[in-house]
Amino acid sequence: MNWIILIIAGLFEVAFAFCLGKAKESSGVETVYWYVGFLICLGISMVLLVKATQSIPIGTGYAVWTGIGAVGTVLIGIYVFKEPATFWRLFFITTLIASIIWIESGFVVKSD
């Protein structure tokens, strides 16, 4: 159950980044609404992260949470905010995903 909570926390991290992007594009009172949405999503994300890391190690939880946030935010940037989807951008976001999976798999190269 805590893994589901952690994934939801990561999605709320994406949501607060989305709110920041929309606030940047808006003006007047609409900007305030987006900042309020940002604060709400930020609060929910943090509360869920705390809840999830009660049984998931903090290093694992934080890595997965930030990974979901980073990948989700890049995808939102590309699809919603029309940011460039360059080869290097996609390459490095892919290496980020692979790195998190590698670290969390418990695979460690031991040196003699």
Side-chain angles (χ1 to χ4, degrees):
M1 182 66 180
N2 282 327
W3 282 101
I4 293 169
I5 291 171
L6 183 61
I7 291 167
I8 294 168
L11 295 175
F12 272 100
E13 184 183 7
V14 175
F16 77 68
F18 172 76
C19 288
L20 284 177
K22 293 301 280 185
K24 180 180 169 184
E25 292 181 350
S26 63
S27 61
V29 72
E30 184 181 352
T31 303
V32 174
Y33 293 143
W34 284 114
Y35 283 129
V36 169
F38 162 77
L39 292 173
I40 291 169
C41 290
L42 175 65
I44 292 170
S45 182
M46 292 295 139
V47 168
L48 293 175
L49 177 62
V50 168
K51 172 69 177 149
T53 56
Q54 289 176 349
S55 65
I56 297 170
I58 189 68
T60 300
Y62 189 74
V64 170
W65 179 76
T66 56
I68 293 168
V71 171
T73 301
V74 167
L75 294 175
I76 290 291
I78 291 169
Y79 291 109
V80 175
F81 298 112
K82 306 302 180 208
E83 295 175 356
T86 63
F87 169 80
W88 289 112
R89 187 172 196 193
L90 297 176
F91 173 79
F92 285 115
I93 202 69
T94 302
T95 60
L96 173 64
I97 295 167
S99 297
I100 292 169
I101 292 169
W102 186 275
I103 290 168
E104 299 315 320
S105 70
F107 182 80
V108 178
V109 177
K110 295 182 181 182
S111 61
D112 292 329

